[in-house]
Amino acid sequence: MEHVHLAAEEDDLYSGYNDYNPTFDSEELDNDAGFQQAVRTSHGRRPPMTAKFPGTAIGGRALGTSFGSRMPMASSMGRPMTGAVQDGAARPMTAVRAAGYSSAMTRGSTFDPLGQSKGPAPPLEGKSEDTPDEKVKILEKKVNDLIEESCLAHGHGDLQLSLDRAKEAGRKERALVRQREQSGNADHINLDLTYSVLFNLATQYANNDMYAEALNTYQVIVKNKMFSNAGRLKVNMANIHFKQKNYPKAIKLYRMALDQISNSHKEMRIKIMQNIGVVFIRMGQYSDAITSFEHIMSESPNIKTGFNLILCYYAIGDRERMKKAFQKLICVPLGIDEEDKYIPPNDDTHANLVIEAIKNDKLHQMERERKALAEKFIMTSAKLIAPAIEATFAAGFDWCVDMVKSSQYVELANDLEINKAITYLRQRDFKQVGAVETLKTFEKKDSRVKSAAATNLSFLYFLEKDYDQADRYADLAMTADRYNPAALINKGNTVFVKKDYEKAAEFYKEALRNDSSCTEALYNLGLTYKRLGRLEESLDCFLKLHAILRNSAQVMWQLANLFEMLEDPHQAIEWLMQLITVTPTDPQVLAKLGELYDSEGDKSQAFQYYQESFRYFPSNIDVIEWLGAYYIDTQFCEKAIQYFERATLIQPTQVKWQLMVASCYRRSGNYQKALETYKDIHRKFPENIECLRFLVRLCTDMGMKEVQDYATKLKKVEKMKEIREQRVKSAREGSARGTRREGSASSEVDIKAVSHPEPKHSPVLDQGRDSGHSSHGTSAKGERLSAKMRALPGSNEPYEASSQRDIDASYVDPLGAPMERPKTAAKKRNEDDDFADEELGDDLLPE
């Protein structure tokens, strides 16, 4: 750039003005006429100027004048410099030359039109935080941040943290007000910030169930006249009183809030009136609630209000108004679009993409939820009023179905029909005019309804143990909808009862493939594996089921039973301990714990759980027997007496328990009471040999005269026993010889029976027929005597004469243990359904 010139040097008319005489010295100023002239004229009174003289060692030095001012050095022509020198180029003194430009490059200068050689600009000076305004702004920002943190914590479910942040925001806001007052800016208090802090604090108090503090905070806001529209917060105060069940105060505050809200806020007024109606329902004042709900239905009808109005009419028993309210309910507009708009056209690619994008967006989800809620209210209303609006519930259901068919909820008509069948089930009406016939009417309808009806029919026939019909309708349900898990479960159950466990497992697996959350299929699959002996796979099924149903008592019982079968009693005890946390009063579970602890040798723990089981169910013979034996083993025979007396009351025909009572008296040394008990037993059971033996022994020890009578009776009874045994023995030998002769004589007949089979007889009939062929005439009489003899205890078995099978009499479920019954898959309507022990399918009958 040094060789770049704006103009030729020989053509420059202003050359020489920037020349500098290096020989110039300040000592010659006295001889400089121009300088002296400047000193004497007005030039000397001008403000001091600083000039820069490049190329010399003294270029930056200024001289003082007689006026004490600093003047720049003169040029080589003796003329003073009036302008500052910039970047080595002196400003010319005349106006002819353009300021700041020079045709000649000065020494050390470079071409820098943008001034980049000066470096970056210095940083901006920071504002001081010590000023009152800055402190106020910082505090305001902190308060806003704390309010935001409180709201976010509440959104994340951390209620305690949200309350702490709200309290801290309140403290900061009060510090902010004091700061403004100290700085003299009390008139500039941020009312919006104060309102936000107090409102957030009251809300967090209410969320943490600190209702007194919340009401106090709301009261502070409402009483402050500087807050506009604070009267609306009385709605929040009324909500708190509603939670506290202070209904009169809640109604008062709702009405005060309603008076302070103008008619332009129609939706807000409608919601407050709806709250007032709900409070009147809680108070039982149905007439006042009806007034509020009727006003809402005339101004702005909605589904919830219509449902509440039907409830009020039902409570007062007004049939005609129930019908009118139901008609209004099904006519309420939902404000949602038709589903047809989500069907993509085949020819428009862009439209298909748009529809695919909005098919499952938030708006469509909200529309589906609103429609599902409306259908739920309509179904519940129909089920509620159907038995009340007509003479019979069937006629009431028919009226509701007709009304629904003429409305926008046509698809609910079939669900109401199925609900009608469920109502028949609750009334135990399984006959032609009841549930079965109602469900059969759906066989010719669309596949969804047909599958639901067939599934319920299969369930009904399964309960009636008509397994062929249950299997038929399960097949029909599967044909209508192969992906219906409830139908597959019912099909698996019908196969299960036929003991084809492998095939049943396949149906349960298919149901799980169609619906992985189907707990009935998983439970029944675990039972099937258990029947097949595949205990590890069964355990895996029930562990998965426990992860879904954490508090299911049946699942815990099955897990404990499986670990017991796997010979892991410690794990079985652990699961039973979890089970008693869910059902702490189940006597069977407590008895099972006692049995496991007894098998482990821990008698004290076993006694504790057996004792608890007896306390909740004092009629379990096994528990009573164990407790009595425990007290006998521990030499507390007196305490064992009460348990055996209880067993005597439960089974008065069993001599075993009465003998145990007498034995306890005898062991405890109360011989008189023992003698009386044995005498009482002898009166009831005169042929009991053990009782007579103890009577003879006691009378002999006590020196009583009755000893001879009892000894005579004992000999007579023993002789009769010998005679019976001989007769029975001879009768059996004769029956055996007759059977051998009959077998040899009928071999040819048996060969013919292959081609002409006779009807099979029951074992009882076969036994009677065989005994009838006996050649001994006394065989029938011998059998009767033998049966009577078996009812008496043996001579060598004083206390175990009656077997345990004679003592226990319990219902045995056809599918196994009571807790191992496969779950069926019909639809459960309500929590208090009559079929609560059967898990019903969720996809059959909507709530």
Side-chain angles (χ1 to χ4, degrees), residues 3 55 95 99 150 155 238 312 400 406 441 523 530 535 628 673 703 745 747 776 841:
H3 302 288
S150 175
C312 293
C400 292
S406 62
T441 59
Y523 185 92
K530 187 177 177 182
L535 301 182
K673 189 68 176 176
S747 59
H776 297 275

Side-chain angles (χ1 to χ4, degrees), residues 762-773 783 790:
S762 65
V764 176
L765 295 178
D766 289 340
Q767 184 179 0
R769 182 177 58 185
D770 291 341
S771 61
H773 286 287
E783 287 293 336
R790 285 197 297 270

Side-chain angles (χ1 to χ4, degrees), residues 109-342:
S109 64
T110 57
F111 183 76
D112 187 17
L114 298 178
Q116 296 179 357
S117 61
K118 297 180 181 180
L124 297 175
E125 294 181 0
K127 293 184 178 180
S128 176
E129 297 182 0
D130 296 334
T131 61
D133 292 340
E134 290 299 324
K135 289 182 179 180
V136 167
K137 290 181 180 179
I138 292 173
L139 279 175
E140 283 187 350
K141 187 177 185 304
K142 288 182 179 180
V143 172
N144 285 316
D145 292 341
L146 287 171
I147 294 175
E148 184 176 356
E149 290 177 10
S150 175
C151 297
L152 291 175
H154 176 262
H156 295 150
D158 194 346
L159 301 181
Q160 185 60 43
L161 179 61
S162 65
L163 179 59
D164 294 339
R165 291 292 183 267
K167 289 180 178 179
E168 189 175 353
R171 290 192 292 269
K172 295 286 186 183
E173 194 273 335
R174 288 191 293 271
L176 174 62
V177 172
R178 289 194 299 268
Q179 182 70 25
R180 287 185 182 276
E181 291 175 351
Q182 292 174 3
S183 62
N185 295 327
D187 296 336
H188 297 84
I189 295 177
N190 192 343
L191 292 177
D192 293 337
L193 184 62
T194 303
Y195 181 87
S196 300
V197 169
L198 292 174
F199 178 70
N200 180 60
L201 181 59
T203 303
Q204 302 309 329
Y205 274 135
N207 293 333
N208 285 270
D209 297 336
M210 302 172 66
Y211 297 130
E213 292 83 353
L215 289 173
N216 292 335
T217 309
Y218 279 127
Q219 199 69 28
V220 171
I221 301 175
V222 171
K223 287 184 176 180
N224 195 335
K225 302 300 182 181
M226 300 179 67
F227 296 140
S228 59
N229 297 325
R232 297 185 179 184
L233 295 183
K234 291 182 180 179
V235 176
N236 294 14
M237 299 173 68
N239 291 340
I240 293 175
H241 285 294
F242 178 81
K243 291 180 181 179
Q244 293 178 326
K245 298 183 179 181
N246 188 0
Y247 300 131
K249 186 69 173 179
I251 289 179
K252 178 181 178 181
L253 288 171
Y254 279 135
R255 286 176 170 170
M256 290 173 66
L258 192 64
D259 293 338
Q260 296 183 12
I261 296 176
S262 62
N263 294 328
S264 59
H265 298 87
K266 182 179 178 181
E267 293 297 326
M268 176 66 72
R269 293 178 61 86
I270 290 295
K271 290 180 179 179
I272 295 175
M273 292 189 68
Q274 186 171 352
N275 287 0
I276 293 174
V278 171
V279 176
F280 277 129
I281 290 179
R282 291 296 182 91
M283 297 175 66
Q285 300 179 13
Y286 300 113
S287 300
D288 296 330
I290 288 172
T291 303
S292 297
F293 292 143
E294 285 180 343
H295 175 74
I296 295 172
M297 292 299 289
S298 62
E299 294 292 329
S300 177
N302 61 80
I303 291 292
K304 288 185 179 180
T305 304
F307 178 71
N308 289 335
L309 185 59
I310 291 176
L311 291 180
C312 293
Y313 287 145
Y314 179 82
I316 63 177
D318 194 334
R319 292 186 177 185
E320 294 301 323
R321 296 171 81 181
M322 271 190 278
K323 289 183 177 181
K324 293 180 181 178
F326 185 77
Q327 291 174 342
K328 290 181 180 179
L329 178 65
I330 60 178
C331 294
V332 172
L334 295 180
I336 61 176
D337 296 329
E338 297 294 334
E339 291 290 333
D340 296 341
K341 79 170 187 178
Y342 296 105

Side-chain angles (χ1 to χ4, degrees), residues 427-659:
Q427 297 180 354
R428 299 294 191 270
D429 186 356
F430 304 103
K431 304 304 178 184
Q432 293 298 319
V433 297
V436 175
E437 286 302 313
T438 304
L439 292 172
K440 284 182 178 179
T441 59
F442 291 95
E443 292 187 20
K444 297 181 180 180
K445 295 191 177 182
D446 61 80
S447 60
R448 184 186 68 85
V449 179
K450 183 193 297 184
S451 178
T455 301
N456 284 319
L457 283 170
S458 175
F459 163 71
L460 290 176
Y461 284 120
F462 187 85
L463 292 181
E464 293 179 343
K465 295 182 175 57
D466 189 351
Y467 300 125
D468 293 334
Q469 287 291 337
D471 184 69
R472 172 176 171 268
Y473 280 102
D475 290 334
L476 182 62
M478 290 168 56
T479 304
D481 184 4
R482 182 68 187 185
Y483 299 99
N484 183 357
L488 292 168
I489 291 172
N490 286 346
K491 178 65 177 179
N493 289 349
T494 58
V495 178
F496 185 95
V497 296
K498 297 176 183 178
K499 298 184 179 181
D500 190 354
Y501 301 125
E502 293 287 352
K503 193 173 181 181
E506 291 300 322
F507 283 112
Y508 296 143
K509 289 178 183 177
E510 186 176 354
L512 284 172
R513 285 193 294 269
N514 293 338
D515 183 5
S516 59
S517 63
C518 184
T519 55
E520 297 89 350
L522 191 57
Y523 185 92
N524 292 350
L525 182 62
L527 291 183
T528 306
Y529 284 144
K530 187 177 177 182
R531 292 294 181 89
L532 291 171
R534 295 152 65 174
L535 301 182
E536 294 292 342
E537 296 180 47
S538 176
L539 184 64
D540 184 57
C541 290
F542 284 113
L543 286 174
K544 291 179 181 177
L545 193 58
H546 177 69
I548 302 173
L549 306 175
R550 304 294 297 180
N551 296 322
S552 174
Q554 290 184 344
V555 175
M556 293 182 189
W557 173 266
Q558 293 295 340
L559 286 169
N561 183 249
L562 284 170
F563 277 115
E564 184 184 6
M565 296 173 68
L566 291 169
E567 298 180 356
D568 190 352
H570 297 290
Q571 283 292 330
I573 290 173
E574 288 294 328
W575 282 105
L576 289 176
M577 294 296 289
Q578 292 188 35
L579 178 54
I580 62 175
T581 61
V582 179
T583 56
T585 60
D586 192 326
Q588 294 295 332
V589 177
L590 294 169
K592 191 65 179 178
L593 271 171
E595 178 186 342
L596 290 174
Y597 276 117
D598 186 28
S599 64
E600 290 293 303
D602 192 346
K603 294 290 185 181
S604 61
Q605 286 288 342
F607 171 73
Q608 176 185 349
Y609 287 109
Y610 272 123
Q611 188 71 29
E612 286 294 308
S613 177
F614 176 78
R615 186 164 67 90
Y616 291 118
F617 183 59
S619 300
N620 190 331
I621 292 294
D622 294 334
V623 174
I624 292 172
E625 185 176 11
W626 191 94
L627 288 171
Y630 174 80
Y631 279 118
I632 291 177
D633 292 340
T634 55
Q635 306 299 321
F636 291 100
C637 299
E638 299 88 350
K639 294 185 178 180
I641 293 174
Q642 61 175 330
Y643 295 103
F644 291 125
E645 286 179 345
R646 170 79 64 174
T648 302
L649 294 175
I650 297 172
Q651 295 180 345
T653 60
Q654 295 293 330
V655 69
K656 169 184 177 179
W657 309 118
Q658 301 182 41
L659 289 173

Side-chain angles (χ1 to χ4, degrees), residues 17 395 721:
Y17 284 100
K721 180 181 178 182

